[in-house]
Amino acid sequence: MLVQIARRCGRPVGSIITRSRLAVALALSLSLCGLVASTDASELRRSAIVRAVQGAAPSVVNINGEKVLSPGDAGFTHTNSENRVNGMGTGVIIDDRGYIITNFHVVDGVEQIKVTLANRETMLAKVVSNDPSTDLAIIKIDSREPLPVLKIGTSKDLMAGETVIAVGNAFGYEHTVTVGIISALHRSVQVGDAQKYEDLIQTDASINPGNSGGPLLNIDGDLIGINVAVRVGAQGIGFAIPIDTALEVAADLLSTRRVDHTWHGVVTTSAEDVDDRAVVVAGFDDESPAARSGLKVGDRIQSIAGRRVERPCDLERAMLGHRPGDEIEIDVVRASEETTVKLVLAGVPESMRAPTGDPFWEVLGVRLKTIPSKQFQRHGTRYRGGLAITAVRPDGPAARQGIRRGDVLVGMHVWETISLENVSYILNRPDFAKFEPVKFYILRGNETLYGSLSVSRR
């Protein structure tokens, strides 16, 4: 039987918040929203669910933005046939510097990503990196104060029947709380022809449009999943990506090689014991800083540059913001004894970088391939032709705008892009800076999408 599924666009808090003026604003705001009980509430009313929500709410953000859809024959200039769609979703703060995890489909194609904190402050976010195959993305906001980080749990020990809590921007109602149980584990869900999710958590906690990217919590208030989809036409059937899976992807999306272009070379694995969260050194990249640092296979990493490390994602977070040449202190346990190792970061070597000589790869972050005329006609549009996008550089301008492998580039600014020479002409125009960020048009399936692209001149 076919099942129709629709994607919906949509460390403990205390030590960070109490030292910050942000705590006062968050507490006042959450109290006004009804997420923090008044001080005279009885202890009987402060159930485990209430405490879990109060602990998590400051780390949950609401995401809004506008994406533009236009029909395939709209042409390359502004028209009245544009279809502007307001998208909404949710995100979870995973680093106090403003890094947020959410679903890729929440920010895919959004021109301006607006993030609203629990204290009602709204700011613009940028896409750091994304992985369409797992429907996860990392975005970042710049806050004047350290932000509260949600307490991370594990999905290794989940049990069918245990209580779970979803918090999200349901139908645009910010910080909506719903409660249910885990209905099943290890579900596979097909979403259309292009997306299939594996190993999902199924829950009957209400997950609605706008909940995507938000947290699924256990009764202790730990983050155990990222809400992602609901079954159309059914009640009480929603799905979430297990947090262990999400953090494995996040470790790659936040890797220093991808974000900062620095290289450490540590190859890690997570400890198997659920009660003993640790990152274990499994090996090193050849000729890497890690190989020269004094680290040994089997070392259990405790902290990096003063930041506690419990997962591979924590390792990458701890090294973010540093530059080649920076010396990083790594505290490890080796043969039951604590020791400190110093690692000097390096730049990513040429052998690990993308091949040079392709201006489209360097400037736009894509590889382009000409599509034969007869093959292009299968798209059934009035465009005369286009260029197939065969690869997208993870840290490039195109990736940050949600352009995917398999999209077809049909226009930039007011010019069509039938051949590689068309793109070269646009990028090499002496007045190119006047219309940057440049508007781009792509075909994705039966839709024409467009956005603005700030090109890279690295």
Side-chain angles (χ1 to χ4, degrees):
M1 181 177 67
L2 296 177
V3 178
Q4 184 184 11
I5 303 291
R7 294 185 306 183
R8 296 304 191 184
C9 294
R11 205 166 311 221
V13 174
S15 62
I16 295 176
I17 299 182
T18 53
R19 295 197 302 268
S20 167
R21 289 174 298 174
L22 188 61
V24 178
L26 286 173
L28 176 60
S29 173
L30 293 174
S31 177
L32 293 173
C33 293
L35 292 173
V36 174
S38 62
T39 55
D40 58 354
S42 70
E43 286 304 311
L44 288 176
R45 293 170 59 195
R46 298 180 189 274
S47 66
I49 292 174
V50 170
R51 293 194 298 271
V53 172
Q54 290 178 357
S59 304
V60 180
V61 303
N62 301 301
I63 301 174
N64 287 277
E66 188 178 74
K67 59 179 69 179
V68 182
L69 306 179
S70 58
D73 59 354
F76 298 118
T77 57
H78 295 284
T79 71
N80 294 326
S81 58
E82 296 168 358
N83 181 20
R84 293 183 175 271
V85 178
N86 289 317
M88 56 190 174
T90 309
V92 179
I93 300 171
I94 59 171
D95 185 275
D96 60 6
R97 292 164 292 184
Y99 291 95
I100 296 166
I101 190 168
T102 187
N103 287 144
F104 171 66
H105 73 260
V106 170
V107 297
D108 180 22
V110 175
E111 294 181 4
Q112 280 194 329
I113 303 170
K114 297 179 181 178
V115 170
T116 303
L117 302 177
N119 65 354
R120 306 294 179 88
E121 182 180 3
T122 297
M123 56 190 72
L124 294 180
K126 64 179 180 180
V127 177
V128 175
S129 52
N130 60 72
D131 181 17
S133 65
T134 58
D135 195 22
L136 289 169
I138 301 291
I139 63 176
K140 187 178 186 302
I141 56 176
D142 295 322
S143 173
R144 295 183 299 273
E145 302 280 353
L147 296 172
V149 178
L150 187 54
K151 185 169 62 170
I152 307 294
T154 181
S155 47
K156 291 180 180 178
D157 60 355
L158 298 181
M159 301 172 289
E162 71 169 290
T163 300
V164 289
I165 307 156
V167 182
N169 189 19
F171 287 106
Y173 294 104
E174 300 175 355
H175 281 84
T176 294
V177 177
T178 56
V179 179
I181 62 169
I182 292 179
S183 304
L185 299 167
H186 312 300
R187 294 297 201 202
S188 295
V189 177
Q190 184 76 44
V191 180
D193 297 329
Q195 185 81 54
K196 183 176 182 179
Y197 299 99
E198 300 286 354
D199 194 31
L200 295 184
I201 303 166
Q202 181 183 332
T203 177
D204 68 348
S206 295
I207 296 175
N208 296 293
N211 273 103
S212 283
L216 188 69
L217 310 170
N218 63 18
I219 197 66
D220 294 325
D222 300 335
L223 177 63
I224 60 167
I226 301 295
N227 298 321
V228 69
V230 297
R231 175 177 170 177
V232 171
Q235 294 182 350
I237 299 181
F239 299 94
I241 301 171
I243 192 58
D244 292 341
T245 301
L247 290 181
E248 286 179 9
V249 176
D252 180 59
L253 296 180
L254 285 173
S255 69
T256 59
R257 283 174 55 182
R258 182 190 290 249
V259 178
D260 288 336
H261 307 295
T262 59
W263 185 40
H264 55 74
V266 185
V267 179
T268 63
T269 186
S270 297
E272 293 298 324
D273 189 347
V274 172
D275 297 323
D276 182 20
R277 295 175 186 167
V279 173
V280 181
V281 177
F284 317 103
D285 292 341
D286 294 338
E287 305 297 325
S288 69
R292 300 189 295 268
S293 68
L295 283 171
K296 294 184 178 181
V297 173
D299 283 351
R300 300 170 73 87
I301 299 175
Q302 304 297 298
S303 65
I304 296 176
R307 286 180 173 262
R308 178 71 181 168
V309 172
E310 295 183 345
R311 304 167 182 82
C313 183
D314 296 335
L315 181 147
E316 300 296 345
R317 288 176 48 235
M319 293 193 181
L320 283 176
H322 293 282
R323 294 291 178 261
D326 287 356
E327 185 177 77
I328 309 295
E329 288 193 349
I330 303 178
D331 297 321
V332 303
V333 173
R334 179 184 300 163
S336 300
E337 294 186 0
E338 296 183 359
T339 186
T340 299
V341 173
K342 294 183 178 180
L343 182 151
V344 179
L345 291 172
V348 179
E350 289 293 334
S351 60
M352 292 186 174
R353 296 181 182 178
T356 58
D358 182 345
F360 311 133
W361 183 259
E362 296 296 325
V363 176
L364 301 176
V366 295
R367 296 203 186 283
L368 301 173
K369 181 180 179 181
T370 303
I371 302 177
S373 177
K374 290 185 178 179
Q375 180 179 340
F376 180 82
Q377 290 173 4
R378 298 172 188 170
H379 288 278
T381 76
R382 293 186 181 179
Y383 295 130
R384 296 197 305 151
L387 297 169
I389 296 173
T390 60
V392 178
R393 198 177 80 225
D395 60 343
R400 288 192 289 270
Q401 291 302 310
I403 294 176
R404 308 176 188 172
R405 180 177 177 271
D407 290 341
V408 177
L409 181 67
V410 293
M412 294 177 66
H413 195 48
V414 296
W415 295 287
E416 60 189 358
T417 53
I418 296 175
S419 67
L420 299 177
E421 289 74 18
N422 293 152
V423 181
S424 295
Y425 166 79
I426 297 167
L427 296 180
N428 292 320
R429 283 184 60 90
D431 60 346
F432 181 81
K434 292 182 179 180
F435 48 83
E436 189 182 359
V438 62
K439 198 168 188 179
F440 67 89
Y441 299 79
I442 60 171
L443 294 179
R444 179 176 296 166
N446 295 323
E447 293 181 329
T448 300
L449 310 178
Y450 69 78
S452 297
L453 193 65
S454 296
V455 303
S456 171
R457 296 293 183 180
R458 66 177 194 171

